Amino acid sequence: MSALNKFRETMRRDQVFDIVNKQDYSEVDTSHGQILYVEDVTVSFDGFKAINELNFYIEVGELRCMIGPNGAGKTTMMDIITGKTKPDKGSVWFGQNINLLKMTEPEIAQAGVGRKFQKPTVFEHHNIFENLEMAMAGNKGVWATYRAKLSSEQHDRIMSVMDTIGLTDNSTQRAGALSHGQKQWLEIGMLLMQNPRLLLVDEPVAGMTHQEMDKTGELLTSLAGEHSVVVVEHDMDFVRSIAKKVSVLHQGSILAEGTMDEVQNNQKVIEVYLGE
Amino acid sequence: MSFFSLKNKITLVLIFSLSLLFTSSSFAESTNLQHKNSEPFIQALELLQSKSYNKKGKAIEQLVATKDERVQSILEAMLKARLFYTKEDKTVVIGKKVDDGFALTSVLEQKYLGSLSKSKLKKVKVNNKLRGILRASIATLSLSSPDAKKRLAAVKQMFGKTNKAGITALQAHLKMEKDSAVRSEIETLININDLDSGDKETQLAAIKTLFNSLNPETRNKLEILKDNADADIASASQVALKNINNKLGFYDKVNTAFFGLSLGSVLVLAAIGLAITFGVMGVINMAHGELIMLGAYTTYVIQQIMPNHIGLALVLAVPAAFIVSGSVGILIERLVIRHLYGRPLETLLATFGISLILQQAVRSVFSPLNRAVETPVWMAGSLEINPALSLTYNRLYIIFFCLAVFTILYLIIKKTSLGLSVQAVSQNRSMARAMGIRASRVDALTFGLGSGIAGVAGVALSQLTNVGPNLGQAYIIDSFMVVVFGGVGNLWGTLISGFTLGIANKFMEPWAGAVLAKILVLVFIILFIQKRPRGLFPQKGRAAES
Amino acid sequence: MFKLLKGDRGGQVFLTLLTLAAILIPIFNLILPESSPFHVSTFTVTLLGKYLAFALLALSVDLVWGYMGILSLGHGAFFALGGYAMGMYLMLQIGDRGVYGNPDLPDFMVFLNWKEIPWFWHGFDNFWFAMVMVALVPGLLAFVFGALAFRSRVTGVYLSIITQALTYALLLAFFRNEMGFGGNNGLTDFKDILGFSLQSDNTRIALFVASAIALALGYLSCRSIVTSRLGRVAVAIRDSEDRVRFIGYRVDHIKLAIFTFSAVIAGVAGALYVPQVGIINPGEFSPIRSIELVIWVAIGGRTTLYGAVLGAFIVNYSKTYLTGVAPETWLFALGALFVFVTLYLPNGIVGLLKRKQA
């Protein structure tokens, strides 16, 4: 990435005056069984429609896989849900009471949406313990963060997550020194520390060995139920191994939805993938 | 023979030789002319040596009355404080400054007398009142010049200084005058004079004809007449005055806009190189201002090498400054910046260090004092559009120069293979490299191009400001503001932003003052960046986002 | 306090040295006779006191740059504002001892034919009011500026450039006589502080000790931030701002809080500097001053706090020495230092020492 692009990355701005639009996001209302509503969302960059009339719903406790060719809009979709990109139109609701489009990234995160990036981004200068500690759910205001002290329960929680992601032995190792796969896990671990209701996981097994993949699959399946999980993945074998329901994204909208077998036999899906 | 007296001789010839004497040999003949030294002429010369300004005034009157052909050069010399008489024998002479005193030409014989030191001469002193009389007298004399431009200048000289005799002379002259510009000027002058006539009809007619006159004298007179006892004259004056004031206000705005455009051109010139290095390459070059400074010093050095061809030196300085600053730029890129790509803050600090070194280097080589860079003759003076609006040539040239530099740069970026490579590298480095573009070479050349343009800007700045070691510092922040305001990576944005800021600055100056205007512009940009962090014309698209 | 310094060997060494200096230097100055080889002249004490103020300023830059990645090229402005607040107090202490002998108006106002003191000078005759302003004015400016900039996510070099524009605008403003801060000449000719003559050895020693205490407190408070979770989040913001947002932190709030705190420290440093050097003028706002102090931090070594202190001492000592011996070489040396440090010493002298140890 050129230095210029790096500047641009940092040049984005908030369009939202978040102080004005304070809404209560303490409790997600999922009484209708759905945790995420994405309806008629469209976003275009310079005339190119990255997302086009996108509609889908995620149920409470569901594990959903999203697949699709490059440029289908998977990452942009995640950007919209987590507040990084604002759509031109459409609505995105978290449960029935929380309008995600009116919130900033930190507010969305606090409301209970966690995200793992495609490129693993952990804080390289911090050790594993500190990475997890910073991600931990709780009051993240300036003063509270300054005064924060770890209680023994919180300490135990970090240790147990570290155990879950298999990094207990390296707790004081700098995250920058971890292998690619370990960084992926650390990032998932940070997600867990946030204790989100909805997890958005972008390409969790890229660069992993088969063993690590299996382990990741197990982890994600075990998370479903208590959490809702959306996984975007290229690796078909991995998707087949964990997915109950699969959505195929193509040119910014949902092309097909169903079990892995159903979508694999869907004529339109075959055309798109073979036509590539 | 000295240049000065030669010029006067030619003037003399031009004025008075209506005959066919005006040939290439007439100059030689005129030097041999036997001057008839009439008594009043000699008397007047003696009177000029008196201490009393009143007597000197009389002497001038007397001189003009002689209609002698030498009078004009005498009066002009007097006005320029170049008329002397020798302490030794009281000869009245015209002097031209030379190294060890003055080269002298006698007034009576029109003969070169060699040079004398200042201590052996006595100056014919003039005061402000005398200067006015001198100007008007010279103007009256000039009216008979065959050169229309001289006549026009002569008429202009007379505004506000005419007397009844003068007007009569002008009216007589008007009958013979063929040049329309001179005619209209004389008419205005006569009309203005009519305003004072005291005759109601004449006054009203004059007000009517002067309805659109922008001459400052018209306005002054109308200002007095608007309170006239006669209601008709007063109201007519008020209407005319209002119209004139509106027009003046308009031209005043045009003038401010012109000043703004020229300031904008300076800003664009200073910033456009930065738009390349910062905008396209993403390199923060804090030494950019010093590269401008090097360009200005290059101009100075070339002028020192060829002191007799100031104009040519200035033209030659453009490519020379491009090469000097461009090479220094490439050197900086190869030695320092290359190692710091992707670390913009470090680049900023390192190039700031370089700027300190360059500043001190210039200080050590050329002295810490400002150097004088001369302005060629063709850049002096101004283009007069009407009495209320005249555009100075140096500002005009700067605007054209800026547009030319911009056009060339734009074509280089859009049309040449270097330009295309620059764009490719700036958009996607690894992809460009994969396609066989040697990114590191392109970087060096791009940086050289941006730096070279800074040098060219320095040539232009050398004509406007002091050339000294701090020249660069004065422009670096402004340049960054222009680029950031316009939108990084966008040459058009830089152009528009430079002009906008220049004009805004000049329009604020009248009520805010120069310093406050500048502060306000800075504060405005600081606030603007909060609202639109990517400037007026941001690059769009997903590539720009990530 | 001991908890704060746990594992911070550099800090322990630094604070020990600082304590020793604060105790021994007054003794060497006041008690030892001038003939003694250990006698420290008052001139040296004041020079060291000035360095201490600079060190405090460097500390504030390290806090935002080293730990949070904000390269402020305008910290000199906060320093100068603190200095001016102190200068105003000192100015009003002169009373009728000025050249014009006007008991109410400072000399430059008399010179400008002003009839009464401008409203914003009211209250500065009170020491404690002035001390509040020393912290409040730079803090407020940093707060307003930061609130705008951080909310709009202006970062990186853009932020650096507009901080530079900020201090440049203030430079131009303070040059104006109409601003009411003495214009070109600034504020000077101070007589006394809290009734003690600024010329006396005792006052100078007191100012030196006050600077040492301020530096120690500044160090400890910065240390308490960087060792807290807030400090870790700040470093995380430096490394990956976006990621911090996605785990639920309000990045703009955190930046704003630390930036403002840092500006307050810079202001305090300015207030300590002014009575020791006896003048404050608009030159302190010049962009080059602000960049220069960034290089102190870079040379000492970022992200260690004590590195910034070390850098401030080394560069300023070199400056004092070189401008005395060979003034024309100073800018060459400083320029070369900029280039050398960024190219070859990214972690400064402290980084070099640490690598040697390892």
Side-chain angles (χ1 to χ4, degrees):
Chain A
M1 189 166 77
S2 78
L4 182 60
N5 285 340
K6 222 172 198 170
F7 302 157
R8 296 212 179 98
E9 164 74 10
T10 54
M11 291 301 294
R12 289 190 62 265
R13 72 197 167 95
D14 247 341
Q15 293 102 322
V16 179
F17 290 95
D18 32 332
I19 296 169
V20 188
N21 303 312
K22 272 280 178 265
Q23 52 178 345
D24 178 30
Y25 45 73
S26 52
E27 209 48 58
V28 187
D29 178 5
T30 54
S31 53
H32 287 220
Q34 260 95 25
I35 192 154
L36 185 69
Y37 302 74
V38 175
E39 289 173 339
D40 297 328
V41 170
T42 299
V43 65
S44 52
F45 301 115
D46 250 355
F48 167 71
K49 283 194 173 169
I51 297 285
N52 189 9
E53 301 282 325
L54 180 68
N55 281 286
F56 69 91
Y57 306 92
I58 303 292
E59 283 175 28
V60 174
E62 181 185 354
L63 171 65
R64 171 78 63 91
C65 285
M66 294 257 180
I67 58 172
N70 273 330
K74 296 167 300 203
T75 301
T76 309
M77 173 201 81
M78 288 206 171
D79 284 349
I80 291 172
I81 299 171
T82 52
K84 193 177 180 207
T85 302
K86 295 292 168 196
D88 301 335
K89 57 178 189 153
S91 60
V92 181
W93 287 80
F94 188 49
Q96 295 182 65
N97 56 338
I98 299 177
N99 183 354
L100 292 184
L101 297 185
K102 286 200 170 161
M103 293 158 69
T104 60
E105 295 106 313
E107 285 171 335
I108 292 174
Q110 287 280 26
V113 179
R115 176 177 184 186
K116 195 202 87 60
F117 285 79
Q118 186 173 345
K119 190 173 149 240
T121 39
V122 293
F123 303 118
E124 310 225 328
H125 284 92
H126 295 83
N127 65 33
I128 293 171
F129 188 91
E130 288 166 341
N131 265 282
L132 294 174
E133 180 207 359
M134 281 192 283
M136 185 163 54
N139 186 343
K140 287 177 176 168
V142 176
W143 187 248
T145 312
Y146 175 59
R147 302 297 306 167
K149 287 213 171 58
L150 273 185
S151 67
S152 58
E153 295 92 63
Q154 288 172 322
H155 191 269
D156 291 347
R157 168 100 181 108
I158 293 173
M159 295 316 280
S160 93
V161 167
M162 222 187 288
D163 191 42
T164 313
I165 56 175
L167 293 171
T168 316
D169 299 340
N170 339 34
S171 76
T172 54
Q173 192 177 357
R174 266 177 26 138
L178 294 175
S179 74
H180 191 77
Q182 285 174 317
K183 281 186 192 168
Q184 296 271 37
W185 275 347
L186 176 55
E187 210 182 348
I188 295 173
M190 288 162 73
L191 264 186
L192 295 177
M193 290 304 301
Q194 282 176 262
N195 202 16
R197 296 289 303 269
L198 173 66
L199 282 83
L200 304 173
V201 190
D202 202 347
E203 302 202 14
V205 295
M208 281 189 177
T209 62
H210 269 285
Q211 273 177 321
E212 288 173 326
M213 258 199 224
D214 292 344
K215 216 171 141 193
T216 310
E218 268 172 48
L219 179 61
L220 289 175
T221 353
S222 74
L223 288 175
E226 196 184 331
H227 312 267
S228 311
V229 184
V230 177
V231 180
V232 165
E233 189 48 75
H234 268 305
D235 191 306
M236 287 301 162
D237 292 335
F238 178 73
V239 171
R240 183 175 296 112
S241 71
I242 63 167
K244 293 195 180 72
K245 192 173 175 189
V246 177
S247 300
V248 182
L249 209 58
H250 177 59
Q251 292 180 350
S253 38
I254 300 287
L255 187 71
E257 224 166 64
T259 65
M260 193 65 190
D261 287 334
E262 280 166 15
V263 298
Q264 266 188 322
N265 295 321
N266 183 309
Q267 201 55 42
K268 285 191 282 182
V269 175
I270 292 170
E271 271 170 33
V272 166
Y273 268 86
L274 289 180
E276 219 188 1
Chain B
M1 180 159 290
S2 71
F3 176 75
F4 187 80
S5 59
L6 187 140
K7 195 178 126 197
N8 278 320
K9 293 260 163 62
I10 293 176
T11 316
L12 282 173
V13 173
L14 283 177
I15 296 170
F16 294 105
S17 60
L18 298 166
S19 66
L20 292 172
L21 277 174
F22 183 53
T23 62
S24 57
S25 62
S26 67
F27 170 67
E29 283 170 44
S30 81
T31 48
N32 297 331
L33 270 179
Q34 271 301 64
H35 291 287
K36 289 189 189 102
N37 294 323
S38 62
E39 196 60 21
F41 187 78
I42 294 168
Q43 271 178 3
L45 285 186
E46 274 164 19
L47 205 54
L48 272 183
Q49 299 179 21
S50 125
K51 280 217 165 65
S52 147
Y53 288 116
N54 269 339
K55 283 187 183 158
K56 283 187 213 175
K58 283 217 178 78
I60 294 168
E61 249 175 58
Q62 203 169 324
L63 277 175
V64 174
T66 62
K67 304 208 169 169
D68 192 287
E69 64 260 43
R70 290 162 292 183
V71 171
Q72 179 143 4
S73 61
I74 297 172
L75 299 187
E76 276 171 3
M78 200 170 160
L79 187 61
K80 285 179 195 150
R82 282 290 177 269
L83 192 70
F84 305 92
Y85 54 91
T86 52
K87 282 181 184 168
E88 198 184 326
D89 53 8
K90 309 277 183 217
T91 321
V92 179
V93 290
I94 294 171
K96 178 183 188 280
K97 182 123 186 74
V98 290
D99 286 339
D100 50 348
F102 290 92
L104 306 175
T105 312
S106 77
V107 165
L108 272 178
E109 288 90 16
Q110 301 278 302
K111 209 165 73 191
Y112 180 60
L113 300 177
S115 58
L116 265 182
S117 80
K118 206 180 158 188
S119 59
K120 299 205 166 136
L121 294 169
K122 196 104 181 143
K123 192 180 279 178
V124 178
K125 286 189 184 146
V126 289
N127 61 5
N128 272 338
K129 193 182 162 207
L130 271 188
R131 277 189 201 101
I133 296 174
L134 279 171
R135 284 200 193 93
S137 307
I138 293 170
T140 317
L141 286 173
S142 307
L143 260 186
S144 44
S145 162
D147 185 352
K149 269 188 197 156
K150 284 225 169 81
R151 296 201 299 273
L152 189 62
V155 179
K156 283 192 177 156
Q157 202 52 254
M158 289 186 226
F159 277 99
K161 300 180 202 120
T162 48
N163 48 22
K164 210 169 174 194
I167 292 295
T168 323
L170 277 173
Q171 276 163 336
H173 181 82
L174 189 61
K175 285 180 186 131
M176 317 186 302
E177 183 60 57
K178 300 220 162 52
D179 189 89
S180 63
V182 181
R183 284 188 72 89
S184 98
E185 223 29 61
I186 294 178
E187 277 160 7
T188 310
L189 185 51
I190 293 172
N191 277 313
I192 291 175
N193 194 62
D194 284 348
L195 289 178
D196 288 339
S197 67
D199 175 48
K200 189 176 168 185
E201 291 306 314
T202 323
Q203 276 175 311
L204 283 177
I207 292 172
K208 212 174 157 193
T209 29
L210 289 173
F211 194 67
N212 285 320
S213 165
L214 292 173
N215 197 295
E217 197 59 28
T218 312
R219 196 158 155 257
N220 292 345
K221 287 272 160 30
L222 288 176
E223 283 286 352
I224 301 167
L225 281 183
K226 77 175 196 293
D227 303 323
N228 196 288
D230 187 298
D232 290 342
I233 293 179
S235 74
S237 306
Q238 277 162 17
V239 175
L241 199 59
K242 202 176 163 208
N243 179 54
I244 290 172
N245 280 340
N246 280 344
K247 286 203 166 193
L248 284 178
F250 170 74
Y251 286 116
D252 190 48
K253 287 213 171 63
V254 173
N255 206 21
T256 310
F258 173 70
F259 271 55
L261 273 183
S262 74
L263 174 65
S265 300
V266 171
L267 290 176
V268 171
L269 275 171
I272 197 89
L274 204 65
I276 302 278
T277 50
F278 177 41
V280 180
M281 296 173 73
V283 168
I284 305 298
N285 182 16
M286 295 299 281
H288 182 79
E290 277 61 36
L291 293 169
I292 294 177
M293 174 195 75
L294 284 183
Y297 272 97
T298 308
T299 318
Y300 169 73
V301 168
I302 292 187
Q303 280 195 352
Q304 292 301 302
I305 295 172
M306 38 200 301
N308 295 322
H309 305 90
I310 296 301
L312 180 64
L314 190 64
V315 175
L316 287 180
V318 174
F322 183 86
I323 292 168
V324 170
S325 294
S327 322
V328 173
I330 290 179
L331 212 63
I332 295 174
E333 202 275 345
R334 286 289 88 180
L335 292 179
V336 179
I337 295 174
R338 187 163 62 103
H339 306 288
L340 296 171
Y341 280 119
R343 290 158 64 195
L345 298 182
E346 274 83 354
T347 316
L348 191 158
L349 292 179
T351 50
F352 184 77
I354 294 169
S355 84
L356 294 182
I357 294 174
L358 288 175
Q359 265 176 45
Q360 187 59 45
V362 160
R363 225 171 255 137
S364 302
V365 174
F366 292 98
S367 107
L369 302 174
N370 286 340
R371 302 278 102 179
V373 173
E374 285 181 50
T375 305
V377 189
W378 43 267
M379 275 185 72
S382 60
L383 175 70
E384 186 162 313
I385 295 183
N386 62 39
L389 182 63
S390 56
L391 312 176
T392 51
Y393 281 122
N394 62 352
R395 289 180 192 274
L396 267 182
Y397 281 120
I398 283 283
I399 296 176
F400 286 127
F401 187 67
C402 161
L403 292 176
V405 170
F406 178 82
T407 313
I408 293 169
L409 199 61
Y410 189 77
L411 290 178
I412 289 176
I413 295 288
K414 291 289 165 189
K415 302 282 182 206
T416 65
S417 66
L418 170 68
L420 294 176
S421 311
V422 167
Q423 289 184 51
V425 171
S426 79
Q427 272 157 27
N428 192 332
R429 222 180 158 72
S430 49
M431 181 64 87
R433 191 172 284 147
M435 289 172 66
I437 295 171
R438 286 158 66 193
S440 77
R441 191 168 154 269
V442 170
D443 284 336
L445 288 179
T446 315
F447 200 81
L449 178 67
S451 309
I453 296 290
V456 171
V459 178
L461 284 181
S462 74
Q463 295 299 313
L464 296 177
T465 52
N466 296 325
V467 176
N470 294 327
L471 173 74
Q473 274 194 329
Y475 282 92
I476 183 71
I477 293 181
D478 290 346
S479 307
F480 271 116
M481 291 297 119
V482 170
V483 175
V484 169
F485 180 57
V488 169
N490 188 329
L491 286 185
W492 282 111
T494 305
L495 185 75
I496 292 171
S497 127
F499 281 138
T500 313
L501 295 181
I503 292 174
N505 209 332
K506 284 293 170 191
F507 270 98
M508 271 192 284
E509 265 179 27
W511 57 268
V515 179
L516 195 59
K518 197 160 177 176
I519 296 170
L520 289 174
V521 167
L522 281 173
V523 171
F524 164 74
I525 294 175
I526 291 174
L527 293 175
F528 178 85
I529 293 175
Q530 323 286 350
K531 268 285 146 226
R532 296 192 60 164
R534 280 153 57 206
L536 273 179
F537 302 99
Q539 289 189 330
K540 285 182 192 153
R542 213 176 161 194
E545 294 273 326
S546 61
Chain C
M1 179 178 138
F2 294 106
K3 218 174 131 200
L4 280 178
L5 295 174
K6 210 178 117 201
D8 178 25
R9 272 207 42 211
Q12 290 162 8
V13 172
F14 156 63
L15 281 181
T16 312
L17 287 175
L18 188 64
T19 314
L20 283 176
I23 296 168
L24 293 180
I25 286 179
I27 294 175
F28 288 173
N29 175 261
L30 294 176
I31 296 177
L32 290 183
E34 272 182 45
S35 54
S36 159
F38 293 105
H39 175 79
V40 178
S41 73
T42 307
F43 175 79
T44 312
V45 172
T46 299
L47 194 66
L48 289 172
K50 191 176 93 174
Y51 291 171
L52 289 175
F54 283 152
L56 187 58
L57 176 60
L59 209 58
S60 75
V61 173
D62 194 20
L63 185 64
V64 288
W65 182 35
Y67 288 90
M68 214 162 46
I70 295 174
L71 177 53
S72 165
L73 298 183
H75 253 55
F78 305 130
F79 178 80
L81 285 175
Y84 265 98
M86 176 58 113
M88 286 159 82
Y89 161 75
L90 296 173
M91 211 66 191
L92 293 180
Q93 296 311 299
I94 299 174
D96 58 7
R97 287 171 290 174
V99 177
Y100 295 106
N102 188 316
D104 301 320
L105 294 182
D107 275 350
F108 75 89
M109 293 186 195
V110 181
F111 183 75
L112 291 173
N113 270 328
W114 290 8
K115 294 290 166 254
E116 57 183 36
I117 207 150
W119 62 267
F120 47 83
W121 276 73
H122 286 300
F124 276 94
D125 48 349
N126 180 309
F127 180 76
W128 298 111
F129 176 83
M131 289 310 101
V132 170
M133 287 299 146
V134 159
L136 199 63
V137 174
L140 203 63
L141 176 68
F143 185 82
V144 172
F145 178 85
L148 289 165
F150 301 141
R151 172 187 295 283
S152 320
R153 300 194 188 169
V154 180
T155 52
V157 289
Y158 284 84
L159 189 66
S160 303
I161 290 172
I162 64 167
T163 53
Q164 192 173 35
L166 175 77
T167 191
Y168 185 56
L170 284 167
L171 169 75
L172 294 175
F174 273 75
F175 263 125
R176 287 162 47 89
N177 280 332
E178 297 87 330
M179 276 289 283
F181 296 105
N184 208 354
N185 300 322
L187 310 175
T188 186
D189 293 335
F190 308 133
K191 302 286 189 241
D192 48 30
I193 181 168
L194 288 169
F196 300 102
S197 165
L198 280 168
Q199 308 308 323
S200 84
D201 287 0
N202 287 337
T203 315
R204 302 226 151 206
I205 284 290
L207 284 168
F208 170 80
V209 174
S211 303
I213 293 172
L215 181 59
L217 289 177
Y219 184 84
L220 289 173
S221 58
C222 288
R223 181 86 194 149
S224 96
I225 289 176
V226 303
T227 51
S228 75
R229 190 185 291 168
L230 184 66
R232 289 192 284 280
V233 175
V235 174
I237 289 173
R238 181 194 71 192
D239 294 344
S240 175
E241 187 171 328
D242 254 354
R243 193 71 185 86
V244 177
R245 244 176 235 124
F246 285 115
I247 56 176
Y249 288 98
R250 293 289 308 265
V251 169
D252 51 344
H253 288 186
I254 293 170
K255 278 183 169 178
L256 185 58
I258 295 180
F259 188 69
T260 306
F261 180 70
S262 160
V264 170
I265 296 184
V268 171
L272 289 165
Y273 169 82
V274 169
Q276 302 194 68
V277 297
I279 184 169
I280 175 82
N281 62 30
E284 295 298 329
F285 285 107
S286 72
I288 179 170
R289 291 281 289 146
S290 288
I291 300 193
E292 202 183 308
L293 65 97
V294 167
I295 211 66
W296 304 346
V297 180
I299 285 170
R302 270 176 277 174
T303 346
T304 54
L305 294 179
Y306 56 84
V309 174
L310 183 67
F313 269 87
I314 289 177
V315 178
N316 282 297
Y317 177 72
S318 316
K319 185 176 187 174
T320 310
Y321 177 76
L322 269 185
T323 48
V325 182
E328 65 281 1
T329 59
W330 164 242
L331 276 188
F332 281 129
L334 186 65
L337 210 55
F338 269 91
V339 178
F340 179 79
V341 168
T342 43
L343 283 182
Y344 304 108
L345 267 187
N347 293 314
I349 294 170
V350 170
L352 200 69
L353 294 176
K354 275 188 179 167
R355 208 163 50 193
K356 279 246 172 81
Q357 265 181 2

